[in-house]
């Protein structure tokens, strides 16, 4: 108003705070006599900015009828990039679930959300996270809540980049990590090509493949470095491109999955056959066609380890939960993905990478956490920016599986050489960021928004550059 703009307040109550109303009037703000009509006119009368301050972080549930009537005509103006005005939300878009990111009623998607002191759950958890737009945090000098109050964590890209190790002069292919792929089928051979290409291009020391001959031939034509001979590997990728109707191939994968769950991976070179290390679980990516097999094994008493990373999309998560005794459909998973990711981690014992924007990674509760310690007994949740919408293309998930297999293999290799134990959740977060940055590069988004279409194989070709960006090596 001080800059000469015409500012109109559409009040959500007939009894506003008297002092606040008077202050607004002194500043040059005019309350609209008919608030709903004012919001309707805003779509076509040249309004350039809408400030959404209907509710704050103390609200819960959907907007009440009066507030919802103000949001409705603005929401139908279209998607962010097409509507004639921009929206700034105070704290978060009104009606969004503050702690869980759910949206139980109408929500006006913001271009910018200005929040205070720290991020809230809605800023990190879908579906509300997308409705928040760009988020800025303003420091008011108040204390940040302690660890017990943390709902979700957004890992810093620089921290994830430190997991990428530049090989030294004494390294060789076996010290950089060997990835074993059980991917592809006669019906879906391309998944193996994509996963193998991603594993090679993201820095694996060696990639082994076990697949039908047609699949092996296609992979070798694209990636001659891939090894077909069986042998030791530090991480497995099980499931991409598996045809449910192929009984023989399904049986092969089920046997490999059983080995992974039973901890029958190859022992570390320094471990004796009888030592506990020889029976420690081997990192594995359990994706796509392996997820239904996993559900059946869990039903008969098997249990995942935290180094087993499940990578479902919403539909696969719904099917897995239903098999494990929690009937749910895809729409319900999409409405409350944070709760579903936590449920899957709790029910399986594995680390769950639930695909979406943002991607959620649920870490199973610590086995030694006291039941009374809610902060440690509940599955921990990471929220990771998953990249542009151009990633919504066939084969993108197969590329992610290959990247994740490489990251896990490198971490396991370091652990075998005396380094820290494998942190599958951070490995998964790194894989998501490499995937996202490769998509930004492949689509041209970093140079010319909004970018351009990409194919899944384009992602693999841009992975070396993505590693340099995330690892901090790029100029």
């Amino acid at each position: 108003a001080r800059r000469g703009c015409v500012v109109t307040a559409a009040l959500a109550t007939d009894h506003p705070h008297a002092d606040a109303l008077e202050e607004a009037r002194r500043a040059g703000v005019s309350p609209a006599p008919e608030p709903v009509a004012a919001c309707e006119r805003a779509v076509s009368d040249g309004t350039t900015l809408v400030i959404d301050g209907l509710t704050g972080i103390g609200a819960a549930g959907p907007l009440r009828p009066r507030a919802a009537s103000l949001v409705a005509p603005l929401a139908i103006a279209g998607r962010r990039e097409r509507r004639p005005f921009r929206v700034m939300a105070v704290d978060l878009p009104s009606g969004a679930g503050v702690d869980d990111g759910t949206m139980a009623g109408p929500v006006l998607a913001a271009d910018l959300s200005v929040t205070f002191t720290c991020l809230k759950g809605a800023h990190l958890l879908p579906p509300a996270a997308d409705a928040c737009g760009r988020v800025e945090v303003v420091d008011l000098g108040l204390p940040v809540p302690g660890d017990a109050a943390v709902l979700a964590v957004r890992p810093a890209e620089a921290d994830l980049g430190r997991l990428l190790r530049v090989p030294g002069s004494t390294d060789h292919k076996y010290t950089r990590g060997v990835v074993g792929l059980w991917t592809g089928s006669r019906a879906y051979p391309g998944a193996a090509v994509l996963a193998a290409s991603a594993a090679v291009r993201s820095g694996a020391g060696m990639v082994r493949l076990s697949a039908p001959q047609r699949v092996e031939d296609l992979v070798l034509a694209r990636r001659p470095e891939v090894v077909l001979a069986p042998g030791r590997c530090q991480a497995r990728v099980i499931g991409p491109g598996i045809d449910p109707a192929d009984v023989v191939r399904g049986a092969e994968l089920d046997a490999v999955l059983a080995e992974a769950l039973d901890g029958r991976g190859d022992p570390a070179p320094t471990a004796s056959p009888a030592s506990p290390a020889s029976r420690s679980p081997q990192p594995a990516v359990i994706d796509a066609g392996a997820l239904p097999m996993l559900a059946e094994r869990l039903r008969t008493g098997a249990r995942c380890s935290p180094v087993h990373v499940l990578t479902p999309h919403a539909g696969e998560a719904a099917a897995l939960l239903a098999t494990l005794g929690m009937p749910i459909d895809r729409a319900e998973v999409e409405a409350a993905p944070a709760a579903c990711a936590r449920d899957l981690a709790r029910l399986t014992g594995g680390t769950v990478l639930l695909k979406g924007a943002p991607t959620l990674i649920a870490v199973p509760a610590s086995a030694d956490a006291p039941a009374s310690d809610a902060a440690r007994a509940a599955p921990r949740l990471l929220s990771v920016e998953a990249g542009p919408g151009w990633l919504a293309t066939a084969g993108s998930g197969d590329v992610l599986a290959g990247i994740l297999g490489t990251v896990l293999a490198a971490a396991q290799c370091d652990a075998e050489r005396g380094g820290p134990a494998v942190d599958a959740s951070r490995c998964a977060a790194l894989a998501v960021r490499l995937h996202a940055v490769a998509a930004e590069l492949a689509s041209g988004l970093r140079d010319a928004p909004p970018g351009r279409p990409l194919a899944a194989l384009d992602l693999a070709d841009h992975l070396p550059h993505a590693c340099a960006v995330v690892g901090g090596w790029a100029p």
Side-chain angles (χ1 to χ4, degrees):
R2 284 195 298 267
R3 294 178 182 181
C5 297
V6 176
V7 183
T8 303
L11 302 181
T13 175
D14 292 326
H15 306 287
H17 189 282
D19 291 344
L21 182 59
E22 181 57 31
E23 179 66 22
R25 284 186 170 130
R26 282 199 299 266
V29 177
S30 302
E34 296 180 359
V36 175
C39 291
E40 292 171 345
R41 289 193 300 271
V43 178
S44 58
D45 69 356
T47 294
T48 57
L49 177 65
V50 174
I51 299 176
D52 172 9
L54 285 168
T55 63
I57 61 172
L63 294 175
R64 294 176 182 174
R66 174 71 174 265
S69 69
L70 299 178
V71 164
L74 298 168
I76 63 174
R79 297 170 65 176
R80 269 187 289 246
E81 61 273 17
R82 296 180 181 176
R83 62 195 180 194
F85 51 82
R86 294 186 179 181
V87 176
M88 183 181 76
V90 180
D91 252 325
L92 72 168
S94 297
V98 179
D99 292 338
D100 60 11
T102 57
M103 297 198 300
V107 172
L108 179 61
D111 297 275
L112 169 68
S113 294
V114 180
T115 193
F116 310 98
T117 303
C118 63
L119 294 169
K120 316 303 186 294
H123 302 130
L124 298 181
L125 304 177
D130 181 64
C132 294
R134 184 165 58 90
V135 181
E136 292 186 4
V137 180
V138 177
D139 183 7
L140 298 182
L142 299 174
V144 176
D147 290 345
V150 172
L151 301 167
V153 174
R154 164 105 359 126
E157 189 161 299
D159 291 340
L160 296 176
R162 283 191 274 273
L163 294 174
L164 291 167
R165 183 169 62 85
V166 177
S169 59
T170 60
D171 275 299
H172 49 79
K173 60 191 175 187
Y174 297 108
T175 64
R176 294 189 62 194
V178 181
V179 184
L181 302 181
W182 282 265
T183 62
S185 61
R186 292 180 180 85
Y188 305 107
V193 176
L194 293 167
S197 296
V200 168
R201 298 292 274 166
S202 53
M206 180 190 292
V207 177
R208 298 185 186 274
L209 173 68
S210 175
Q213 183 168 345
R214 176 170 180 252
V215 177
E216 294 176 342
D217 291 343
L218 288 171
V219 170
L220 289 179
R222 178 72 187 187
R223 297 255 55 108
E225 323 73 344
V226 172
V227 175
L228 303 182
R232 185 170 185 272
C233 56
Q234 272 97 14
R236 312 180 191 207
V237 178
I238 310 170
I242 300 307
D243 181 6
D246 189 336
V247 177
V248 174
R249 181 66 169 152
E252 292 174 0
L253 261 71
D254 189 50
V256 173
L257 179 62
E259 289 182 4
L261 295 178
D262 292 346
R264 298 203 299 269
D266 299 306
T270 57
S272 67
S275 70
S278 69
R279 296 188 298 274
S280 61
Q282 186 184 65
V285 181
I286 304 173
D287 183 51
L291 291 170
M293 301 175 191
L294 173 66
E296 290 306 315
R297 290 205 162 268
L298 293 173
R299 277 162 47 91
T300 58
R303 183 79 174 166
C304 291
S305 159
V307 297
H308 300 139
V309 185
L310 287 56
T311 57
H313 56 56
E316 291 166 337
L320 193 51
L321 283 168
T323 304
L324 297 175
M326 290 187 63
I328 195 171
D329 60 28
R330 179 176 190 141
E332 291 173 301
V333 173
E334 291 173 339
C340 293
R342 287 191 180 101
D343 284 337
L344 276 175
R346 176 177 54 82
L347 291 170
T348 65
T351 297
V352 175
L353 187 160
L354 181 55
K355 297 170 184 173
T359 290
L360 299 181
I361 300 167
V363 185
S366 173
D368 59 355
S372 59
D373 189 341
R376 295 180 63 202
R380 188 162 55 91
L381 202 62
L382 306 184
S383 171
V384 187
E385 294 183 20
W390 298 116
L391 274 171
T393 186
S396 174
D398 303 321
V399 173
L400 177 59
I403 300 169
L404 180 51
T406 293
V407 175
L408 286 169
Q412 175 68 12
C413 203
D414 286 346
E416 291 172 358
R417 300 171 74 189
V422 175
D423 185 337
S425 64
R426 293 185 71 219
C427 290
L430 172 59
V432 171
R433 285 307 298 152
L434 291 174
H435 190 245
V437 173
E440 293 170 3
L441 295 168
S443 68
L445 178 64
R446 292 198 162 204
D447 297 324
R452 57 182 178 268
L454 57 81
L457 208 50
D458 298 336
L459 297 171
D461 292 339
H462 284 82
L463 277 168
H465 190 182
C467 288
V469 170
V470 176
W473 318 323

